[in-house]
């Protein structure tokens, strides 16, 4: 009888393991995958994430028989699943909870390729009886780690960069992007950067941007980022005199504004709808208003 019970227990254990495919991972553990890694599956709680190479479709000029493309499948134990197109070169996955006791979610980062670009970031969260993909945006630079709880409210916060500042006032190399703080609430992406509880994020960013604004040969990108972080802290007027003293005047550039939607193909604006600013300070204040850092005049 004892041997039979042990055999039954082992059979049940093996069936349970078969029902939960994939390697068990730690909460927030960084998982990297590329095409050459082949099929890999990971799980935490009731969520399983499987990277694989699948036949592209439909067959045609850009897709021949035998051509494969990377796909990530996020599946729940009840069989509900969603698929995300992967990157041939570099993918990052993390499984975990955004709050203690909450459901397991998948944080997916996919390298898009291209000059100075980009990791597209998505979150897979429960949505009623299904799963939902929340687009967090695409951001310059390297992948980011599992989000921390910046303000101590028990909810994890995604701290990325406001890449609208890249190329806006200087070349890419001389540009500085201020922080952007995101939460996912009820399955929706929310920019919570303006909330005072995230002031420490902007205190640190303001200090770093200030050093570059007052010390670099091409300070306009850093001065713009300093102004943005200072605006988040309610201190733009206090730092403005220093920015006026430090910004580069010769051969400098700053954004203009279009009164109507720009042409999607080339970003062009009809001449009679284009607003150009006479100098860097005017252009910077207009840009801060347009991007929501300060109130429009």
């Amino acid at each position: 009888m004892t041997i039979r019970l042990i055999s039954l227990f082992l059979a049940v254990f093996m069936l349970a393991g078969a029902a939960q495919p994939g390697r068990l991972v730690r909460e927030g553990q960084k998982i990297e995958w590329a095409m050459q890694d082949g099929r890999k599956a990971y799980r935490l709680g009731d969520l399983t994430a499987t990277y694989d190479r699948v036949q592209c479709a439909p067959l045609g000029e850009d897709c021949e028989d035998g051509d494969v493309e990377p796909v990530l499948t996020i599946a729940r134990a009840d069989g509900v699943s969603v698929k995300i197109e992967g990157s041939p070169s570099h993918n990052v996955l993390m499984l975990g909870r955004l709050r203690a006791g909450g459901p397991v979610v998948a944080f997916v980062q996919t390298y898009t390729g291209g000059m100075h670009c980009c990791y597209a970031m998505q979150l897979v969260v429960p949505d009623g009886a299904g799963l939902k993909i929340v687009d967090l945006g695409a951001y310059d630079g390297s992948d980011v780690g599992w989000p921390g709880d910046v303000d101590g409210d028990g909810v994890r916060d995604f701290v990325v960069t406001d890449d609208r500042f890249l190329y806006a006032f200087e070349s890419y190399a001389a540009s500085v992007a201020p922080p952007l703080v995101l939460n996912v609430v009820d399955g929706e992406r929310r920019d919570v950067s303006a909330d005072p509880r995230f002031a420490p994020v902007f205190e640190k960013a303001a200090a770093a941007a200030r050093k570059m604004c007052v010390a670099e040969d091409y300070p306009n990108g850093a001065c713009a980022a300093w102004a943005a972080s200072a605006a988040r802290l309610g201190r733009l007027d206090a730092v403005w005199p220093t920015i006026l003293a430090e910004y580069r005047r010769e051969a400098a550039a700053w954004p203009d504004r279009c009164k109507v939607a720009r042409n999607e193909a080339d970003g062009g604006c009809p001449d009679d709808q284009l607003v150009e600013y006479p100098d860097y300070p005017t252009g910077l204040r207009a840009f801060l208003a347009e991007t929501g850092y300060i109130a429009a005049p």
Side-chain angles (χ1 to χ4, degrees):
M1 179 66 72
T2 302
I3 294 176
R4 288 181 178 177
L5 287 174
I6 291 174
S7 299
L8 180 61
F9 173 79
L10 289 174
V12 172
F13 179 80
M14 291 175 67
L15 285 172
Q20 292 289 326
R23 178 164 65 87
L24 182 65
V25 297
R26 301 185 309 276
E27 187 150 336
Q29 178 179 339
K30 181 179 179 180
I31 301 157
E32 299 181 85
W33 183 87
M35 286 280 279
Q36 62 266 25
D37 296 331
R39 181 182 174 88
K40 299 285 184 181
Y42 310 91
R43 64 183 172 88
L44 182 68
D46 68 345
L47 218 57
T48 299
T50 304
Y51 279 109
D52 203 358
R53 299 173 297 183
V54 302
Q55 170 67 47
C56 64
L59 294 178
E61 182 178 349
D62 297 324
C63 175
E64 299 180 355
D65 189 26
D67 291 345
V68 294
E69 56 189 14
V71 173
L72 171 64
T73 302
I74 307 294
R76 212 164 50 193
D78 61 3
V80 173
S81 66
V82 294
K83 293 184 182 297
I84 294 175
E85 182 180 347
S87 164
S89 57
H90 192 228
N91 302 268
V92 176
L93 165 73
M94 285 169 260
L95 301 173
R97 297 167 177 83
L98 296 184
R99 56 167 56 86
V104 174
V105 304
F107 179 29
V108 181
Q109 300 174 69
T110 307
Y111 182 59
T112 64
M115 184 66 71
H116 306 308
C117 221
C118 277
Y119 276 87
M121 300 184 184
Q122 297 167 298
L123 200 68
V124 179
V125 302
D127 181 40
L131 293 171
K132 179 179 182 179
I133 300 173
V134 182
D135 183 9
L136 298 179
Y139 302 95
D140 176 72
S142 60
D143 58 273
V144 302
W146 184 244
D149 179 8
V150 175
D151 59 337
D153 68 345
V155 177
R156 295 187 178 274
D157 310 295
F158 295 85
V159 181
V160 290
T161 53
D162 189 345
D163 289 355
R164 293 174 295 183
F165 283 73
L166 300 182
Y167 298 103
F169 298 93
E170 291 283 7
S171 67
Y172 172 84
S175 293
V176 179
L180 196 64
V181 185
L182 306 176
N183 279 174
V184 175
V185 181
D186 297 329
E188 301 294 336
R189 172 191 185 271
R190 291 190 185 175
D191 182 350
V192 293
S193 306
D195 196 307
R197 59 200 166 116
F198 297 110
V201 174
F202 294 95
E203 293 276 7
K204 182 178 179 180
R210 180 193 179 281
K211 288 181 180 180
M212 291 182 280
C213 175
V214 301
E216 297 292 336
D217 291 335
Y218 298 91
N220 290 6
C223 290
W226 182 26
S229 289
R232 291 289 191 215
L233 299 167
R235 301 177 193 161
L236 179 58
D237 290 344
V239 307
W240 195 249
T242 304
I243 291 174
L244 292 181
E246 297 294 337
Y247 80 90
R248 181 170 65 93
R249 291 157 176 78
E250 72 281 359
W254 46 87
D256 51 31
R257 181 172 68 87
C258 189
K259 296 180 181 179
V260 297
R262 293 181 183 270
N263 185 293
E264 291 186 6
D266 60 8
C269 179
D271 290 342
D272 61 345
Q273 299 296 320
L274 186 66
V275 179
E276 296 184 287
Y277 303 106
D279 52 36
Y280 174 87
T282 307
L284 174 54
R285 279 199 173 267
F287 185 78
L288 292 175
E290 188 175 347
T291 51
Y293 284 85
I294 61 175

